[in-house]
Coordinates of all heavy atoms in Angstrom, one line a residue:
G1 N 7.6 -4.3 33.5 CA 6.6 -5.4 33.5 C 5.3 -5.1 34.2 O 4.2 -5.3 33.7
V2 N 5.4 -4.4 35.3 CA 4.2 -4.0 36.1 C 3.5 -2.9 35.4 O 2.3 -3.0 35.2 CB 4.7 -3.6 37.5 CG1 3.5 -3.0 38.2 CG2 5.2 -4.7 38.3
E3 N 4.2 -1.9 34.9 CA 3.5 -0.8 34.3 C 2.8 -1.2 33.0 O 1.8 -0.6 32.6 CB 4.5 0.3 34.0 CG 5.1 1.0 35.2 CD 6.2 2.0 35.0 OE1 6.5 2.1 33.8 OE2 6.7 2.5 35.9
H4 N 3.4 -2.1 32.3 CA 2.8 -2.5 31.0 C 1.9 -3.7 31.1 O 1.5 -4.3 30.1 CB 3.9 -2.8 30.0 CG 4.7 -1.6 29.6 ND1 5.9 -1.7 28.9 CD2 4.6 -0.3 30.0 CE1 6.4 -0.4 28.7 NE2 5.6 0.4 29.4
G5 N 1.6 -4.1 32.3 CA 0.6 -5.1 32.6 C 1.0 -6.5 32.2 O 0.2 -7.3 31.8
S6 N 2.3 -6.9 32.4 CA 2.7 -8.3 32.0 C 2.6 -9.2 33.2 O 2.9 -10.4 33.1 CB 4.1 -8.3 31.5 OG 5.0 -7.9 32.5
G7 N 2.2 -8.6 34.4 CA 2.0 -9.5 35.5 C 3.3 -9.9 36.2 O 3.6 -9.3 37.3
S8 N 4.0 -10.8 35.6 CA 5.2 -11.2 36.3 C 6.4 -10.3 36.0 O 7.5 -10.5 36.6 CB 5.6 -12.6 35.8 OG 5.8 -12.6 34.4
G9 N 6.2 -9.3 35.2 CA 7.3 -8.3 34.9 C 8.1 -8.8 33.7 O 8.1 -9.9 33.3
L10 N 8.8 -7.8 33.1 CA 9.6 -8.0 32.0 C 11.0 -8.6 32.5 O 11.6 -8.0 33.4 CB 9.9 -6.7 31.2 CG 10.7 -6.8 29.9 CD1 9.9 -7.6 28.9 CD2 11.0 -5.4 29.4
A11 N 11.3 -9.8 32.0 CA 12.5 -10.4 32.5 C 13.8 -9.6 32.3 O 13.9 -8.9 31.3 CB 12.7 -11.8 31.8
D12 N 14.7 -9.7 33.2 CA 16.0 -9.0 33.1 C 16.6 -9.3 31.7 O 17.2 -8.4 31.1 CB 16.9 -9.4 34.2 CG 16.5 -8.9 35.5 OD1 15.5 -8.2 35.6 OD2 17.2 -9.3 36.5
S13 N 16.6 -10.5 31.3 CA 17.3 -10.9 30.1 C 16.7 -10.3 28.9 O 17.3 -10.0 27.9 CB 17.3 -12.4 29.9 OG 16.0 -12.9 29.9
Q14 N 15.4 -10.0 28.9 CA 14.7 -9.4 27.8 C 15.2 -7.9 27.6 O 15.2 -7.4 26.5 CB 13.2 -9.4 28.0 CG 12.5 -10.7 27.8 CD 11.0 -10.6 28.0 OE1 10.5 -10.5 29.1 NE2 10.3 -10.5 26.9
V15 N 15.5 -7.3 28.7 CA 15.9 -5.9 28.6 C 17.4 -5.8 28.3 O 17.8 -5.1 27.4 CB 15.7 -5.2 30.0 CG1 16.2 -3.8 29.9 CG2 14.2 -5.1 30.3
S16 N 18.2 -6.6 29.0 CA 19.7 -6.5 28.8 C 20.2 -7.2 27.6 O 21.2 -6.8 27.0 CB 20.4 -7.0 30.0 OG 20.1 -8.4 30.2
N17 N 19.6 -8.3 27.2 CA 20.1 -9.1 26.0 C 19.1 -9.2 24.9 O 19.4 -9.8 23.9 CB 20.5 -10.5 26.4 CG 21.8 -10.4 27.2 OD1 22.6 -9.6 27.0 ND2 22.0 -11.4 28.2
G18 N 17.9 -8.8 25.1 CA 16.8 -9.0 24.1 C 16.2 -7.7 23.6 O 16.7 -7.0 22.8
K19 N 15.0 -7.4 24.2 CA 14.2 -6.3 23.7 C 15.0 -5.0 23.8 O 14.9 -4.2 22.8 CB 12.9 -6.2 24.5 CG 11.9 -5.3 23.8 CD 10.6 -5.5 24.4 CE 9.5 -4.7 23.7 NZ 9.4 -5.0 22.3
G20 N 15.6 -4.7 24.9 CA 16.3 -3.4 25.0 C 17.4 -3.3 24.0 O 17.6 -2.2 23.3
I21 N 18.2 -4.3 23.8 CA 19.3 -4.3 22.8 C 18.7 -4.2 21.4 O 19.2 -3.5 20.6 CB 20.2 -5.5 23.0 CG1 21.0 -5.5 24.3 CG2 21.2 -5.6 21.8 CD1 22.0 -4.3 24.4
E22 N 17.6 -5.0 21.2 CA 17.1 -5.0 19.8 C 16.7 -3.7 19.3 O 16.9 -3.3 18.2 CB 15.9 -6.0 19.8 CG 15.2 -6.1 18.5 CD 14.0 -7.0 18.6 OE1 13.9 -7.8 19.5 OE2 13.1 -6.9 17.7
V23 N 16.1 -2.8 20.1 CA 15.6 -1.5 19.7 C 16.7 -0.5 19.5 O 16.5 0.5 18.9 CB 14.5 -0.9 20.6 CG1 13.3 -1.8 20.6 CG2 15.1 -0.7 22.0
L24 N 17.9 -0.9 20.0 CA 19.1 0.0 19.8 C 19.8 -0.2 18.5 O 20.6 0.6 18.0 CB 20.1 -0.2 20.9 CG 19.6 0.2 22.3 CD1 20.7 -0.1 23.3 CD2 19.4 1.7 22.3

């Protein structure tokens, strides 16, 4: 979240149950 400039950071759920899982 910090590196990609989202301010509040990428939520844990987006990585573990959303975006991260989606790209797999």
Side-chain angles (χ1 to χ4, degrees):
V2 172
E3 291 172 4
H4 294 174
S6 67
S8 60
L10 185 64
D12 291 357
S13 59
Q14 284 182 282
V15 176
S16 60
N17 287 330
K19 192 166 184 62
I21 292 294
E22 180 181 339
V23 297
L24 292 176

